[in-house]
Amino acid sequence: MTEAVIQVENISKLYHLGKIGSGSLKRDMQLWWEQHILKHDNPNNYIQNGVKVDNNEAIWALKNINFEIKQGETLGIVGHNGAGKSTLLKILSRIVKPTEGIVRGKGRISSLLEVGTGFHADLTGRENIFISGHILGMKKAEIQNKFDEIVAFSGVEAFIDTPVKRYSSGMYVRLAFAVAAHLEPDILIVDEVLAVGDADFQKKCLGKMNEASSKSGRTVIFVSHNLQAINNLCASTIWLEKGNLKAFGNTKTVINSYLSTVHQKSWKKEFKINEAPGNDFIKVFYVELIPKLVPGSSVIDIRTPLTVKFKFYNQSDNIPLSADLLLFTLSGDCIFDIPSKQTIFNKGVIEGECKIPGNFLNDGSYTFTLHFSKNTSSELFSYKDCLMFDIADYRKNTNWYDKWWGYVRPDFPLELKTVE
Amino acid sequence: MKDRILQKNSDWDWEIKPETSWWQLNFREIFSYKDLIKQLVRKEFLGQYQQTLLGPFWALVQPLLSVIVYVFVFNRVIGVPTSNIPPFLFNLAGLTLWNLFSEIFLQTSRSFAQNADIFSKVYFPRIIVPISALWLQLSLFCIQLFFLILVCSYYYITGGITFNVANFILFIPVIIITAGIGFGGGLIFSVLTSKYRDLLSLIQLVIRLLMFASPVFYSLSLVPPNAKWIVKINPLSSLFEYFRFALLGIGNLELSLLVYSIVFMLILLLLSIMLFNKISDSLIDVL
């Protein structure tokens, strides 16, 4: 049985909102004098509706957190902004003290809460590798051994003796991460650092982290908004919600229940007819995306068949009308444009429906646009970005942990067989 | 069952608890960060003189210019006697030691606030940063001391002064005590200034006043008897006398004053390290 390397027991952290002191000795002394000698009320507390309001309100950034991490385990932490993820990481990395509770651990711990901690802009890349390495807890010999590897990983060989202030921001980040990636602690704590760099570099980083945990048996604690990466790197995951431990366990289960709160449950827009988007020809008053969720999953994933329904009010008689349903990625690339058949309509409510099969779209964020035209040539109305939705990833039997390539992800059969 | 829990507890390498004790100073841990100390000294040194015309010579230019001004003001205009020592040498000696104290004090007291961004991102014993500031200032002092001895040798050769190399042994205690007092005072203020930024300007004022209350430009024997107590309660006073005696063979040495300085330094160091230890951890929340 592998043993626990970190044990977190009843950790709580209290932060004082508002001002902690005034930052000026004169003001603080004045306050102390008034409160303790003259017995005045703290001016930070004011009376509201007869009730004394304490402006120095305290909030629990973390409340009674308990968990254990075993050696070689990779733990993900997810949660909304302000859920206490960073506070937890800072306590684990010994940067801040918990208000209550105790953390016990074994082995050397290194934390990467930011890239380029301790970099000095005036010094060369070479100097900075040493400075940053030492600050992150590496020994001199360790850095010397890995120096070439670090430089190669960062890809800034040609500029290693140039002051880093002349680096492009991409080079800077790559060098900074390269140092961090070659840390060899027993426990590695990584905050959202992967949000930097281009896609290629991110891939390299994720690979490096995967290597650290799976090959070298290192314990990794990883906070990210990239659920994809957590899903593929981490065996178990903690979900923090307003300082409380909402769930702790198998990553798939935790992420699924987390996603179901993040994503909206209904993808539907309905308007009163006079407020509906549109013009003198068309008024769209209802659009809905109806997913047929796969049993056991609470979110739209790549297997989910989708149905789009929309209703609009046609204000002209005897008009040759057609509609197009367009799907865009969030970055603006058009995935498809599905036209309806052209039909002659009179004034009245018209309904449209389109079915998109499961196992067709890749994971990502998408928006629908509805486009109405007369004679299939002149535009009557275009309702841009009428629905926005996310498709979660789903994969099995693969060790590929990175974003799946392609705009679409059809499940066409591809067979391999031995012929000789 | 209880045995098993006890056994388990002793298995852990480290613990993070809400409270820091006053005495918790892990010398072994600090020693394991010696590479970091060296690197921080190097970084500060290189960073300070990057893109400057004179580079490390600034460590000499700054005191040299000050001495010229002080010689003009104190010796030419006011006419402070310097016991047959060339005024330039007399003032340079005083100022060299004074710079050791004031630079250690100022740089140490700034170290915490200046590195707050690193402290909030990565853990290492916080005292590493003041220690590296101390180290850097000591190294710069060595350059200045070397220069001072060169100037002395010049005057010796041209017959202005005589000196006894055997007295140089006195440099060691004097430098240690001066650095110790500067470091201790700096540590206390490093904690205070990160909470109260307005103290930084106060410190500079106090340092300037303290310079005139210390026998930097005058010798202790010149102080009128009724004002002598002011200079005597200043733990730095005897150090200047001993320093000038070691270098130039002048000054009135009072062992009791030196003992007072030593005791003062030890108590200050103890208090300041305890305070730094206790408060530095919780200070990150405030920064």
Short mmCIF file of all heavy atoms in Angstrom, two decimals, chain A residues 44-82:
data_model
loop_
_atom_site.label_atom_id
_atom_site.label_comp_id
_atom_site.label_asym_id
_atom_site.label_seq_id
_atom_site.Cartn_x
_atom_site.Cartn_y
_atom_site.Cartn_z
N ASN A 44 -14.71 52.09 11.92
CA ASN A 44 -14.99 51.17 10.82
C ASN A 44 -16.35 50.48 10.98
O ASN A 44 -16.91 49.93 10.06
CB ASN A 44 -13.91 50.10 10.71
CG ASN A 44 -12.67 50.64 10.04
OD1 ASN A 44 -12.75 51.63 9.33
ND2 ASN A 44 -11.54 50.01 10.26
N ASN A 45 -16.83 50.47 12.25
CA ASN A 45 -18.15 49.91 12.47
C ASN A 45 -19.16 51.05 12.40
O ASN A 45 -19.00 52.04 13.07
CB ASN A 45 -18.26 49.29 13.86
CG ASN A 45 -17.20 48.23 14.07
OD1 ASN A 45 -16.61 47.76 13.12
ND2 ASN A 45 -16.97 47.89 15.31
N TYR A 46 -20.14 50.91 11.60
CA TYR A 46 -21.11 51.98 11.56
C TYR A 46 -22.49 51.41 11.86
O TYR A 46 -22.72 50.21 11.78
CB TYR A 46 -21.09 52.69 10.20
CG TYR A 46 -21.23 51.78 9.03
CD1 TYR A 46 -22.47 51.58 8.45
CD2 TYR A 46 -20.12 51.12 8.50
CE1 TYR A 46 -22.60 50.74 7.37
CE2 TYR A 46 -20.25 50.28 7.43
CZ TYR A 46 -21.49 50.09 6.86
OH TYR A 46 -21.62 49.26 5.80
N ILE A 47 -23.38 52.29 12.23
CA ILE A 47 -24.71 51.83 12.62
C ILE A 47 -25.63 51.86 11.40
O ILE A 47 -25.73 52.88 10.71
CB ILE A 47 -25.30 52.75 13.71
CG1 ILE A 47 -24.28 53.00 14.81
CG2 ILE A 47 -26.59 52.22 14.24
CD1 ILE A 47 -24.18 51.98 15.88
N GLN A 48 -26.27 50.75 11.13
CA GLN A 48 -27.18 50.73 9.99
C GLN A 48 -28.51 50.17 10.47
O GLN A 48 -28.56 49.05 10.99
CB GLN A 48 -26.58 49.84 8.89
CG GLN A 48 -27.24 50.02 7.55
CD GLN A 48 -26.57 49.16 6.51
OE1 GLN A 48 -26.36 47.98 6.71
NE2 GLN A 48 -26.23 49.75 5.39
N ASN A 49 -29.57 50.93 10.31
CA ASN A 49 -30.91 50.55 10.76
C ASN A 49 -30.89 50.08 12.22
O ASN A 49 -31.49 49.08 12.58
CB ASN A 49 -31.48 49.43 9.89
CG ASN A 49 -31.51 49.82 8.44
OD1 ASN A 49 -31.61 50.99 8.12
ND2 ASN A 49 -31.39 48.83 7.56
N GLY A 50 -30.12 50.78 13.03
CA GLY A 50 -30.08 50.43 14.44
C GLY A 50 -29.22 49.23 14.78
O GLY A 50 -29.08 48.85 15.93
N VAL A 51 -28.65 48.59 13.76
CA VAL A 51 -27.81 47.42 14.03
C VAL A 51 -26.36 47.81 13.76
O VAL A 51 -26.06 48.47 12.77
CB VAL A 51 -28.19 46.23 13.10
CG1 VAL A 51 -27.40 44.99 13.49
CG2 VAL A 51 -29.68 45.99 13.17
N LYS A 52 -25.48 47.40 14.65
CA LYS A 52 -24.07 47.73 14.45
C LYS A 52 -23.49 46.79 13.39
O LYS A 52 -23.59 45.57 13.49
CB LYS A 52 -23.31 47.58 15.77
CG LYS A 52 -22.18 48.57 15.87
CD LYS A 52 -21.75 48.74 17.32
CE LYS A 52 -20.57 47.86 17.61
NZ LYS A 52 -20.07 48.01 18.98
N VAL A 53 -22.94 47.40 12.36
CA VAL A 53 -22.37 46.59 11.30
C VAL A 53 -20.85 46.61 11.44
O VAL A 53 -20.25 47.68 11.54
CB VAL A 53 -22.76 47.15 9.91
CG1 VAL A 53 -22.11 46.33 8.81
CG2 VAL A 53 -24.26 47.16 9.76
N ASP A 54 -20.27 45.47 11.49
CA ASP A 54 -18.83 45.40 11.59
C ASP A 54 -18.23 45.42 10.18
O ASP A 54 -18.38 44.48 9.42
CB ASP A 54 -18.42 44.11 12.31
CG ASP A 54 -16.95 44.11 12.65
OD1 ASP A 54 -16.24 45.03 12.21
OD2 ASP A 54 -16.52 43.20 13.37
N ASN A 55 -17.59 46.56 9.88
CA ASN A 55 -17.05 46.69 8.53
C ASN A 55 -15.80 45.84 8.33
O ASN A 55 -15.42 45.50 7.23
CB ASN A 55 -16.73 48.16 8.25
CG ASN A 55 -16.75 48.45 6.77
OD1 ASN A 55 -17.29 47.65 6.01
ND2 ASN A 55 -16.18 49.56 6.37
N ASN A 56 -15.15 45.51 9.46
CA ASN A 56 -13.99 44.64 9.36
C ASN A 56 -14.44 43.19 9.31
O ASN A 56 -14.01 42.35 10.08
CB ASN A 56 -13.06 44.83 10.55
CG ASN A 56 -12.26 46.10 10.41
OD1 ASN A 56 -11.87 46.44 9.30
ND2 ASN A 56 -12.06 46.78 11.50
N GLU A 57 -15.35 42.93 8.41
CA GLU A 57 -15.95 41.63 8.35
C GLU A 57 -14.91 40.58 7.98
O GLU A 57 -14.00 40.84 7.21
CB GLU A 57 -17.03 41.67 7.28
CG GLU A 57 -18.09 40.63 7.45
CD GLU A 57 -19.02 40.65 6.26
OE1 GLU A 57 -19.13 41.69 5.60
OE2 GLU A 57 -19.60 39.61 5.98
N ALA A 58 -15.06 39.42 8.54
CA ALA A 58 -14.10 38.36 8.25
C ALA A 58 -14.79 37.28 7.41
O ALA A 58 -15.96 37.02 7.59
CB ALA A 58 -13.60 37.76 9.54
N ILE A 59 -14.05 36.73 6.46
CA ILE A 59 -14.64 35.60 5.74
C ILE A 59 -13.72 34.40 5.84
O ILE A 59 -12.49 34.53 5.91
CB ILE A 59 -14.91 35.92 4.25
CG1 ILE A 59 -13.63 36.34 3.56
CG2 ILE A 59 -16.01 36.90 4.08
CD1 ILE A 59 -13.69 36.06 2.09
N TRP A 60 -14.34 33.26 5.84
CA TRP A 60 -13.56 32.02 5.85
C TRP A 60 -13.25 31.66 4.40
O TRP A 60 -14.12 31.26 3.66
CB TRP A 60 -14.34 30.91 6.53
CG TRP A 60 -14.47 31.12 7.99
CD1 TRP A 60 -15.53 31.67 8.65
CD2 TRP A 60 -13.50 30.80 9.00
NE1 TRP A 60 -15.27 31.72 10.00
CE2 TRP A 60 -14.04 31.18 10.24
CE3 TRP A 60 -12.23 30.21 8.97
CZ2 TRP A 60 -13.34 31.01 11.44
CZ3 TRP A 60 -11.54 30.04 10.16
CH2 TRP A 60 -12.10 30.44 11.38
N ALA A 61 -11.99 31.83 4.01
CA ALA A 61 -11.60 31.45 2.66
C ALA A 61 -11.58 29.94 2.53
O ALA A 61 -11.81 29.39 1.45
CB ALA A 61 -10.24 32.02 2.33
N LEU A 62 -11.30 29.29 3.64
CA LEU A 62 -11.35 27.83 3.67
C LEU A 62 -11.97 27.44 4.99
O LEU A 62 -11.75 28.09 6.00
CB LEU A 62 -9.96 27.22 3.59
CG LEU A 62 -9.21 27.30 2.26
CD1 LEU A 62 -7.82 26.76 2.45
CD2 LEU A 62 -9.94 26.52 1.19
N LYS A 63 -12.74 26.37 4.98
CA LYS A 63 -13.39 25.98 6.23
C LYS A 63 -13.32 24.46 6.35
O LYS A 63 -13.88 23.73 5.53
CB LYS A 63 -14.84 26.47 6.21
CG LYS A 63 -15.55 26.34 7.54
CD LYS A 63 -15.18 27.45 8.49
CE LYS A 63 -15.72 27.15 9.87
NZ LYS A 63 -14.87 27.54 10.98
N ASN A 64 -12.64 24.00 7.38
CA ASN A 64 -12.58 22.57 7.70
C ASN A 64 -12.30 21.66 6.52
O ASN A 64 -13.11 20.81 6.16
CB ASN A 64 -13.90 22.13 8.35
CG ASN A 64 -14.08 22.77 9.71
OD1 ASN A 64 -13.09 23.02 10.40
ND2 ASN A 64 -15.31 23.06 10.05
N ILE A 65 -11.17 21.85 5.92
CA ILE A 65 -10.79 21.02 4.79
C ILE A 65 -9.99 19.83 5.31
O ILE A 65 -9.03 19.99 6.07
CB ILE A 65 -9.93 21.81 3.79
CG1 ILE A 65 -10.64 23.09 3.36
CG2 ILE A 65 -9.58 20.95 2.60
CD1 ILE A 65 -11.84 22.89 2.50
N ASN A 66 -10.39 18.64 4.91
CA ASN A 66 -9.68 17.43 5.27
C ASN A 66 -9.43 16.59 4.04
O ASN A 66 -10.36 16.34 3.28
CB ASN A 66 -10.53 16.57 6.22
CG ASN A 66 -10.57 17.16 7.60
OD1 ASN A 66 -9.58 17.12 8.32
ND2 ASN A 66 -11.71 17.75 7.94
N PHE A 67 -8.22 16.19 3.81
CA PHE A 67 -7.97 15.15 2.80
C PHE A 67 -6.56 14.62 2.94
O PHE A 67 -5.77 15.13 3.74
CB PHE A 67 -8.22 15.67 1.37
CG PHE A 67 -7.34 16.82 0.95
CD1 PHE A 67 -6.12 16.58 0.35
CD2 PHE A 67 -7.75 18.14 1.15
CE1 PHE A 67 -5.31 17.63 -0.04
CE2 PHE A 67 -6.94 19.19 0.76
CZ PHE A 67 -5.73 18.94 0.16
N GLU A 68 -6.29 13.59 2.20
CA GLU A 68 -4.98 12.95 2.25
C GLU A 68 -4.53 12.66 0.83
O GLU A 68 -5.35 12.32 -0.02
CB GLU A 68 -5.12 11.62 2.99
CG GLU A 68 -4.24 11.53 4.21
CD GLU A 68 -4.33 10.15 4.84
OE1 GLU A 68 -4.33 9.15 4.09
OE2 GLU A 68 -4.40 10.08 6.06
N ILE A 69 -3.28 12.82 0.56
CA ILE A 69 -2.78 12.47 -0.76
C ILE A 69 -1.70 11.41 -0.59
O ILE A 69 -0.83 11.53 0.27
CB ILE A 69 -2.17 13.69 -1.47
CG1 ILE A 69 -3.15 14.86 -1.43
CG2 ILE A 69 -1.85 13.35 -2.90
CD1 ILE A 69 -2.52 16.16 -1.84
N LYS A 70 -1.81 10.40 -1.42
CA LYS A 70 -0.82 9.33 -1.33
C LYS A 70 0.33 9.58 -2.30
O LYS A 70 0.20 10.37 -3.25
CB LYS A 70 -1.49 8.00 -1.66
CG LYS A 70 -2.54 7.64 -0.65
CD LYS A 70 -2.83 6.17 -0.68
CE LYS A 70 -3.66 5.76 0.51
NZ LYS A 70 -4.92 6.53 0.66
N GLN A 71 1.40 8.89 -2.06
CA GLN A 71 2.56 9.08 -2.90
C GLN A 71 2.28 8.69 -4.35
O GLN A 71 1.64 7.68 -4.63
CB GLN A 71 3.73 8.27 -2.38
CG GLN A 71 4.97 8.71 -3.08
CD GLN A 71 6.14 7.84 -2.86
OE1 GLN A 71 6.20 7.06 -1.95
NE2 GLN A 71 7.10 8.00 -3.77
N GLY A 72 2.74 9.52 -5.27
CA GLY A 72 2.58 9.22 -6.69
C GLY A 72 1.23 9.58 -7.23
O GLY A 72 0.94 9.40 -8.42
N GLU A 73 0.37 10.11 -6.37
CA GLU A 73 -0.98 10.45 -6.80
C GLU A 73 -0.98 11.84 -7.43
O GLU A 73 -0.20 12.70 -7.06
CB GLU A 73 -1.89 10.45 -5.59
CG GLU A 73 -3.32 10.14 -5.90
CD GLU A 73 -4.13 9.98 -4.62
OE1 GLU A 73 -3.97 10.80 -3.71
OE2 GLU A 73 -4.92 9.05 -4.57
N THR A 74 -1.85 12.04 -8.39
CA THR A 74 -2.02 13.37 -8.95
C THR A 74 -3.40 13.86 -8.56
O THR A 74 -4.39 13.22 -8.82
CB THR A 74 -1.92 13.33 -10.47
OG1 THR A 74 -0.82 12.53 -10.81
CG2 THR A 74 -1.72 14.70 -11.03
N LEU A 75 -3.40 15.00 -7.89
CA LEU A 75 -4.66 15.53 -7.37
C LEU A 75 -5.01 16.81 -8.10
O LEU A 75 -4.19 17.71 -8.22
CB LEU A 75 -4.51 15.81 -5.87
CG LEU A 75 -5.73 16.40 -5.19
CD1 LEU A 75 -6.73 15.31 -4.91
CD2 LEU A 75 -5.35 17.12 -3.92
N GLY A 76 -6.22 16.88 -8.60
CA GLY A 76 -6.69 18.10 -9.24
C GLY A 76 -7.54 18.90 -8.27
O GLY A 76 -8.16 18.32 -7.39
N ILE A 77 -7.53 20.20 -8.44
CA ILE A 77 -8.43 21.03 -7.62
C ILE A 77 -9.25 21.90 -8.57
O ILE A 77 -8.68 22.61 -9.40
CB ILE A 77 -7.66 21.91 -6.63
CG1 ILE A 77 -6.79 21.04 -5.72
CG2 ILE A 77 -8.62 22.75 -5.81
CD1 ILE A 77 -5.98 21.81 -4.71
N VAL A 78 -10.56 21.80 -8.49
CA VAL A 78 -11.42 22.64 -9.32
C VAL A 78 -12.33 23.46 -8.42
O VAL A 78 -12.49 23.16 -7.25
CB VAL A 78 -12.28 21.80 -10.31
CG1 VAL A 78 -11.40 21.06 -11.28
CG2 VAL A 78 -13.19 20.85 -9.56
N GLY A 79 -12.89 24.49 -9.00
CA GLY A 79 -13.80 25.34 -8.25
C GLY A 79 -13.93 26.67 -8.95
O GLY A 79 -13.10 27.01 -9.77
N HIS A 80 -14.99 27.39 -8.61
CA HIS A 80 -15.18 28.70 -9.23
C HIS A 80 -14.16 29.67 -8.70
O HIS A 80 -13.48 29.39 -7.72
CB HIS A 80 -16.59 29.20 -8.93
CG HIS A 80 -17.66 28.31 -9.45
ND1 HIS A 80 -18.05 28.32 -10.75
CD2 HIS A 80 -18.37 27.34 -8.85
CE1 HIS A 80 -18.98 27.42 -10.93
NE2 HIS A 80 -19.19 26.80 -9.78
N ASN A 81 -14.12 30.85 -9.30
CA ASN A 81 -13.24 31.89 -8.78
C ASN A 81 -13.64 32.22 -7.35
O ASN A 81 -14.82 32.35 -7.06
CB ASN A 81 -13.32 33.15 -9.64
CG ASN A 81 -12.65 32.94 -10.97
OD1 ASN A 81 -11.70 32.15 -11.07
ND2 ASN A 81 -13.13 33.61 -11.99
N GLY A 82 -12.63 32.35 -6.50
CA GLY A 82 -12.93 32.70 -5.12
C GLY A 82 -13.38 31.54 -4.27
O GLY A 82 -13.86 31.72 -3.17
#
